Amino acid sequence: MAYLAVERVSKRFRSTVVLEELSLQVARGEFVSLLGPSGCGKTTLLRILAGLLAADTGSVALDGHDLGRLPPHRRNVSVVFQNYALFPHLTVAENVAFGPRARGRSGGDIARTVERLLALVQLPDMGDRRISALSGGQQQRVAMARALATEPDLILLDEPLSALDRKLRETMQVELRRLLRDLGMTAIFVTHDQEEALALSDRVAVMNAGRIEQLDTSEAVYARPATPFVLDFVGQSTVLHGTVGASDGRALTIDTALGPVHASGPFARGSRVMLAVRPEHMQPGAAADDSWTSVTTPVAGQTFLGRICLLYCSGGPADRIIVEVPAQVAASLSAGGSATVSWRIADALVFPAP
Amino acid sequence: MNGVRSSMALLVLPALLAATLLFALPLCLLLAGSLRGPTGWTTANFISFLGSAYSWQVIGRTLRLATLTTLVCLVIGYPAAFALARTRGVVQSLCVAALLLPLSVSVIVKAFGWTILLRGNGVVNLLLQGIGLTSGPVRFLFTETGLLIGISNIFLPYMVLPLYAVVRQIDPRLADAATTLGGGPFHVFRRVLVPLSMPGVVAGVSLVFSLATGAYVIPTLLMGDAYQTLPVEIATSFLFLQDPARGSVAGVVLLLLSLLVVAASGRLARPLR
């Protein structure tokens, strides 16, 4: 029995379908990210879970209890909003105390909670500060403390780190993950930043156009994307389009703009397919043996990333080839020349052409 | 840097000149007039004005009218400002236009309009009898109720506009945040929306209160000469009694009252934040 069970939830605004029969199960203490481009419905789902928005159809149950049309203030679900939505007229301590106070807890109890949480988010002695006197990172911590002060059954995070600069964001990611893990908190984290989702989550739900395209661990979502959308949205990859020229039901030869390549998959001769390989599985040079395949391609350019370099090559109109190469090797592969690149057949993914 | 600053100072000059010539100077003349007796400077005018029970009645009536007007405007204007802030697009433009347009009509016209609406066979009475709320015509004209209806209507935009300006700046996610933290609708209203709208309340209350203390045309038209407030008293002193000293004293008192209330409203609102 899942702790949080979202069953076939649909939502439309006028004629636009925002969520389409979406289901999602989350275990107690799990950290699940909703990852997708803007407009994919992830924030809508979050607002439905919080009770700020009613689903048209479907149900949401938390710990066995149907949340139904329960208004937000009767659910024990906290939200950390994008840009935090801290109360500007209250001090840091009063912000944190807002939840316990609204729930009618006693004064001494509230004071202890506030003190404990401000210590937890490493802002002790900041209770009397005005919100406007805090930095972005500090405001983020206050927002966390405020959301945790009600001891929620579920915490929803709506792009909570997107307003921070890159360096601070990375520090806060680690801190946020440790804090929620230590508390055993069940969390749903909405983001459009794939690195953030992969780094933080137990499982990632990749969303597109109101559905979950894939729900799996970070590793699986990256290594075995279920659909071309997931492949495209999470990480970079080489993509070659072509037609299956020969097939024995398992081993394929695909005719691409750059010539035939070997692959494996249950595709019939003549079907249009799309072949994808992650950059780190590609290497410069010819195929070493039968378990490898290769193409020769014009070099379009390269991006230096410090230890490694990404080599971009071109193929057919919708094709792209991205190869991760050590920086010292990249120097010999300049734009305008051509390169032979290879990959293991087992590392390539084959999808029906979209 | 210095050049920029001095040219900035130059920009203020017209406003400064206008304020000095049209505002500060007449105020000084008013103050001088109130302190001038037949034989030179004196406080006798103030002593005689403040020593009379009649003057205190007038002051009391002025404050009462201004307080009631402000209250009615606040009660009607506060929810209206919230509703207005939640509307969008064409509806919002229409509502704001409906609020602004009456400001382009002269107060005299509006006050006369109300005398027509409120009279015995006026629209208001026909309506009340039509829906069966009253059997005969209700007397509104020359009653405080009628005055209050008219004056509140005329000053309402001055309450709604500053409130609306503040309320629409309130991030709707603050209310969302408050409700997810366990705040019921009343708690969210009392602890988040009311405190955040306070600057608008202070501005609206100050505006309407000072306008209502200074209203001359509206009480005169809707209540007649028997209803003496400070502005009516000032006019009477200057125009009929030919007593500029008394008029000046009443003017200074009126000014002080308004300033006092405007200053106090900011203070009094603080515990609500």
Side-chain angles (χ1 to χ4, degrees):
Chain A
M1 183 67 199
Y3 180 66
L4 171 69
V6 180
E7 294 292 341
R8 299 164 72 87
V9 164
S10 295
K11 179 76 190 175
R12 49 174 70 222
F13 292 120
R14 301 232 171 81
S15 60
T16 318
V17 177
V18 184
L19 293 177
E20 198 176 355
E21 300 235 320
L22 184 142
S23 297
L24 171 68
Q25 275 84 34
V26 177
R28 189 190 291 270
E30 202 177 11
F31 189 113
V32 172
S33 289
L34 303 178
L35 173 66
S38 50
C40 72
K42 54 192 194 296
T43 297
T44 303
L45 178 58
L46 194 90
R47 291 181 70 84
I48 289 174
L49 294 179
L52 295 168
L53 207 61
D56 295 337
T57 58
S59 70
V60 177
L62 185 61
D63 204 8
H65 301 287
D66 184 18
L67 292 182
R69 305 240 155 198
L70 215 56
H73 63 279
R74 297 199 191 287
R75 305 179 175 200
N76 199 13
V77 176
S78 280
V79 185
V80 177
F81 290 86
Q82 199 174 7
N83 299 98
Y84 324 127
L86 294 171
F87 303 124
H89 60 298
L90 301 178
T91 63
V92 167
E94 286 166 340
N95 263 277
V96 178
F98 192 93
R101 199 164 280 161
R103 282 152 205 264
R105 301 240 306 266
S106 76
D109 195 14
I110 293 172
R112 276 191 300 278
T113 303
V114 170
E115 196 183 341
R116 181 171 59 82
L117 281 164
L118 286 181
L120 198 64
V121 298
Q122 296 166 34
L123 288 177
D125 314 319
M126 297 281 258
D128 296 332
R129 298 278 181 98
R130 290 252 141 214
I131 295 302
S132 53
L134 301 183
S135 70
Q138 289 170 329
Q139 292 190 12
Q140 209 284 325
R141 289 168 200 217
V142 176
M144 278 303 295
R146 185 180 70 173
L148 291 170
T150 53
E151 292 168 15
D153 298 327
L154 173 67
I155 187 164
L156 308 172
L157 305 125
D158 187 5
E159 312 223 5
L161 305 176
S162 63
L164 305 176
D165 62 63
R166 192 184 172 88
K167 196 143 193 182
L168 185 57
R169 193 161 68 220
E170 281 165 6
T171 318
M172 294 301 291
Q173 276 177 10
V174 177
E175 210 171 285
L176 180 89
R177 189 69 194 94
R178 183 187 51 75
L179 181 65
L180 292 175
R181 205 190 294 269
D182 289 352
L183 294 169
M185 193 65 69
T186 312
I188 306 282
F189 183 88
V190 160
T191 182
H192 64 270
D193 181 338
Q194 41 143 328
E195 284 175 31
E196 200 168 87
L198 296 182
L200 290 175
S201 324
D202 295 322
R203 286 192 299 159
V204 179
V206 184
M207 289 184 66
N208 180 33
R211 305 158 179 268
I212 294 179
E213 295 252 340
Q214 185 172 11
L215 173 60
D216 216 326
T217 60
S218 300
E219 294 80 9
V221 163
Y222 182 78
R224 293 185 298 281
T227 65
F229 176 83
V230 178
L231 170 86
D232 193 45
F233 195 76
V234 180
Q236 290 186 302
S237 55
T238 289
V239 172
L240 291 172
H241 291 80
T243 310
V244 177
S247 166
D248 64 0
R250 192 66 229 158
L252 312 171
T253 305
I254 303 170
D255 295 321
T256 70
L258 298 169
V261 296
H262 299 296
S264 75
F267 293 94
R269 184 166 185 275
S271 29
R272 299 275 307 151
V273 294
M274 184 184 116
L275 179 128
V277 190
R278 294 294 188 193
E280 63 275 22
H281 291 143
M282 307 268 301
Q283 63 178 50
D289 56 51
D290 277 358
S291 63
W292 290 68
T293 186
S294 69
V295 291
T296 300
T297 164
V299 176
Q302 45 179 263
T303 309
F304 178 68
L305 294 174
R307 192 172 56 78
I308 56 149
C309 192
L310 286 182
L311 190 67
Y312 294 90
C313 310
S314 45
D319 295 347
R320 56 171 187 267
I321 293 171
I322 308 169
V323 189
E324 191 180 300
V325 290
Q328 64 268 31
V329 177
S332 63
L333 299 161
S334 56
S338 77
T340 300
V341 296
S342 57
W343 62 89
R344 261 205 329 219
I345 292 170
D347 286 332
L349 301 154
V350 187
F351 300 98
Chain B
M1 194 61 213
N2 234 336
V4 172
R5 197 169 290 172
S6 63
S7 61
M8 285 304 220
L10 222 58
L11 291 176
V12 190
L13 209 59
L16 206 64
L17 270 177
T20 313
L21 281 176
L22 303 174
F23 201 66
L25 211 61
L27 273 183
C28 290
L29 290 176
L30 178 78
L31 196 61
S34 71
L35 289 170
R36 189 165 281 275
T39 57
W41 299 108
T42 175
T43 55
N45 299 327
F46 275 95
I47 292 168
S48 98
F49 183 84
L50 296 175
S52 109
Y54 174 74
S55 302
W56 285 104
Q57 250 179 34
V58 172
I59 292 173
R61 195 177 291 130
T62 310
L63 286 177
R64 180 184 154 83
L65 176 65
T67 308
L68 286 174
T69 307
T70 309
L71 274 178
V72 172
C73 284
L74 188 61
V75 168
I76 298 174
Y78 196 73
F82 272 88
L84 194 57
R86 293 285 173 268
T87 57
R88 291 279 170 273
V90 183
V91 181
Q92 186 170 46
S93 307
L94 285 176
C95 289
V96 172
L99 210 56
L100 287 173
L101 271 180
L103 297 180
S104 64
V105 178
S106 152
V107 176
I108 303 183
V109 174
K110 281 183 281 194
F112 262 122
W114 275 109
T115 65
I116 297 167
L117 289 173
L118 291 176
R119 65 190 178 199
N121 57 355
V123 177
V124 174
N125 263 312
L126 291 179
L127 204 71
L128 284 177
Q129 290 167 60
I131 57 175
L133 273 178
T134 57
S135 50
V138 178
R139 188 181 154 84
F140 283 118
L141 270 188
F142 309 117
T143 69
E144 206 176 32
T145 312
L147 171 61
L148 212 53
I149 293 174
I151 197 171
S152 305
N153 168 264
I154 291 166
F155 290 153
L156 189 60
Y158 298 96
M159 181 63 84
V160 177
L161 287 172
L163 265 173
Y164 163 66
V166 169
V167 168
R168 89 192 172 122
Q169 298 296 326
I170 299 177
D171 185 347
R173 281 175 319 166
L174 292 176
D176 285 348
T179 179
T180 57
L181 289 168
F186 180 75
H187 191 89
V188 174
F189 179 70
R190 174 66 194 85
R191 297 287 160 202
V192 178
L193 297 179
V194 168
L196 289 175
S197 65
M198 262 313 143
V201 173
V202 171
V205 164
S206 307
L207 264 176
V208 171
F209 194 92
S210 10
L211 283 169
T213 49
Y216 169 69
V217 173
I218 309 168
T220 311
L221 285 177
L222 292 175
M223 285 297 275
D225 289 339
Y227 193 79
Q228 291 274 321
T229 59
L230 278 172
V232 180
E233 179 71 19
I234 294 168
T236 313
S237 302
F238 277 107
L239 299 175
F240 300 112
L241 302 178
Q242 304 289 339
D243 188 350
R246 183 177 168 80
S248 302
V249 170
V252 171
V253 170
L254 176 62
L255 183 69
L256 289 178
L257 278 180
S258 293
L259 285 178
L260 206 69
V261 169
V262 169
S265 65
R267 286 252 149 176
L268 291 173
R270 217 165 277 173
L272 287 170
R273 311 203 70 177

